[in-house]
Amino acid sequence: MNPTDNQWLNKVNWSDTGLVAVIAQDVNSQVVLMLAWMNREALARTLETGEAVYWSRSRKKLWHKGEQSGHTQKVHEIRLDCDGDAVLLKVEQIGGIACHTGRRDCFFLKLEDRQWVAVEPVLKDPAEIYHE
Amino acid sequence: MNPTDNQWLNKVNWSDTGLVAVIAQDVNSQVVLMLAWMNREALARTLETGEAVYWSRSRKKLWHKGEQSGHTQKVHEIRLDCDGDAVLLKVEQIGGIACHTGRRDCFFLKLEDRQWVAVEPVLKDPAEIYHE
């Protein structure tokens, strides 16, 4: 690849640990699905493959979202914010489930009277999603 | 305040530096406005005041969004994600401008042919927003 092709990656304001925060939003429903992280390689692969590839901070490796569950995210748009330290992906969420708990999205805990209440249904049993 | 009242703050998975990533989404249009950070006090104040209060990592102090510009964010909902390290605020964006560049939202740079292109108009000159 021509080095010039990577100029766009240099515009990202990578953190000290080489990461950028990434919001995935459903391109159709506009629901905010999740927040995850990417390193340079993850963002490059996301563009190349057209599917969201994140950096797993817990497993310390690239994470092709949906590689196990089949719940991949087809990327329609990649946006960067004004100071370059956050990315917004507009995606088509395959299977309609973004969260490992089997819910549509990860933000299912709503603050009500100083308590976090799960307000979204589990659409599919995680045991069924992540079977061997 | 009764210590029990702070239990909800303990459920947040604060980072090593005591912060949590916060996405602000327009409650009406569903547009993702910005990504910012909160510490424990910022989140507590956000709930108490009903307006978004962030932690400015650059200025290292609490930042009542809109304190200078008047573009405050009225909070309609506070959500927490599955692993507790990201918050989603559903807000009414006063003035219709979230970004310091005078745009509706901060994610105005769209990746097109490996170039970041500003695709959203400046609604108000920042010099006019931040006049003395």
Side-chain angles (χ1 to χ4, degrees), chain B residues 17-38:
Chain B
T17 55
L19 302 179
V20 68
V22 181
I23 302 162
Q25 182 181 29
D26 189 295
V27 68
N28 298 308
S29 68
Q30 309 298 318
V31 167
V32 174
L33 299 171
M34 55 188 279
L35 178 85
W37 297 83
M38 288 186 185

Side-chain angles (χ1 to χ4, degrees), chain A residues 8 79-80 107 109 116, chain B residues 8 78-80 107 109 116:
Chain A
W8 67 281
R79 298 277 192 120
L80 185 66
F107 294 96
L109 295 169
W116 298 107
Chain B
W8 67 282
I78 303 179
R79 299 276 191 120
L80 185 67
F107 294 96
L109 296 169
W116 299 106

Side-chain angles (χ1 to χ4, degrees), chain B residues 51-54 56 59 61-73 130:
Chain B
E51 294 193 342
V53 177
Y54 300 103
S56 169
R59 290 178 287 150
K61 63 173 195 174
L62 288 178
W63 161 40
H64 176 198
K65 165 80 180 151
E67 62 194 353
Q68 279 190 278
S69 63
H71 298 153
T72 52
Q73 296 178 332
Y130 297 99

Side-chain angles (χ1 to χ4, degrees), chain A residues 81-96:
Chain A
D81 78 345
C82 53
D83 56 1
D85 65 358
V87 167
L88 174 65
L89 294 186
K90 301 207 181 182
V91 304
E92 180 189 349
Q93 177 60 63
I94 304 303

Side-chain angles (χ1 to χ4, degrees), chain A residues 72-110:
Chain A
T72 52
Q73 296 178 332
K74 282 192 190 298
V75 177
H76 285 239
E77 258 187 63
I78 303 178
R79 298 277 192 120
L80 185 66
D81 78 345
C82 53
D83 56 1
D85 65 358
V87 167
L88 174 65
L89 294 186
K90 301 207 181 182
V91 304
E92 180 189 349
Q93 177 60 63
I94 304 303
I97 294 174
C99 188
H100 75 287
T101 64
R103 292 180 174 88
R104 180 189 65 179
D105 64 271
C106 295
F107 294 96
F108 57 83
L109 295 169
K110 183 180 174 185

Side-chain angles (χ1 to χ4, degrees), chain A residues 8-24:
Chain A
W8 67 281
L9 288 166
N10 296 337
K11 299 280 187 190
V12 176
N13 191 3
W14 303 100
S15 75
D16 291 347
T17 54
L19 301 180
V20 68
V22 181
I23 302 161

Side-chain angles (χ1 to χ4, degrees), chain B residues 2 17 31-33 42 47 49 57 65 67 91 94 99 101 121:
Chain B
N2 186 318
T17 55
V31 167
V32 174
L33 299 171
L47 180 65
T49 64
R57 295 184 302 170
K65 165 80 180 151
E67 62 194 353
V91 304
I94 304 303
C99 188
T101 63

Side-chain angles (χ1 to χ4, degrees), chain B residues 8-132:
Chain B
W8 67 282
L9 287 167
N10 296 337
K11 300 279 186 192
V12 176
N13 190 3
W14 303 100
S15 75
D16 291 348
T17 55
L19 302 179
V20 68
V22 181
I23 302 162
Q25 182 181 29
D26 189 295
V27 68
N28 298 308
S29 68
Q30 309 298 318
V31 167
V32 174
L33 299 171
M34 55 188 279
L35 178 85
W37 297 83
M38 288 186 185
N39 63 6
R40 198 176 164 96
E41 187 181 353
L43 185 51
R45 287 208 189 183
T46 296
L47 180 65
E48 285 160 21
T49 64
E51 294 193 342
V53 177
Y54 300 103
W55 173 258
S56 169
R57 295 184 302 170
S58 55
R59 290 178 287 150
K60 298 190 196 314
K61 63 173 195 174
L62 288 178
W63 161 40
H64 176 198
K65 165 80 180 151
E67 62 194 353
Q68 279 190 278
S69 63
H71 298 153
T72 52
Q73 296 178 332
K74 283 192 190 299
V75 176
H76 286 239
E77 257 187 64
I78 303 179
R79 299 276 191 120
L80 185 67
D81 78 346
C82 52
D83 55 0
D85 65 358
V87 167
L88 175 66
L89 294 185
K90 301 205 181 186
V91 304
E92 180 188 350
Q93 177 60 63
I94 304 303
I97 294 175
C99 188
H100 74 288
T101 63
R103 293 180 174 87
R104 179 189 65 177
D105 64 90
C106 294
F107 294 96
F108 58 82
L109 296 169
K110 183 180 174 187
L111 191 61
E112 294 181 353
D113 298 329
R114 294 172 184 265
Q115 304 240 352
W116 299 106
V117 181
V119 293
E120 291 180 22
V122 172
L123 301 176
K124 195 168 178 181
D125 183 344
E128 209 179 320
I129 298 174
Y130 297 99
H131 60 79
E132 294 303 309

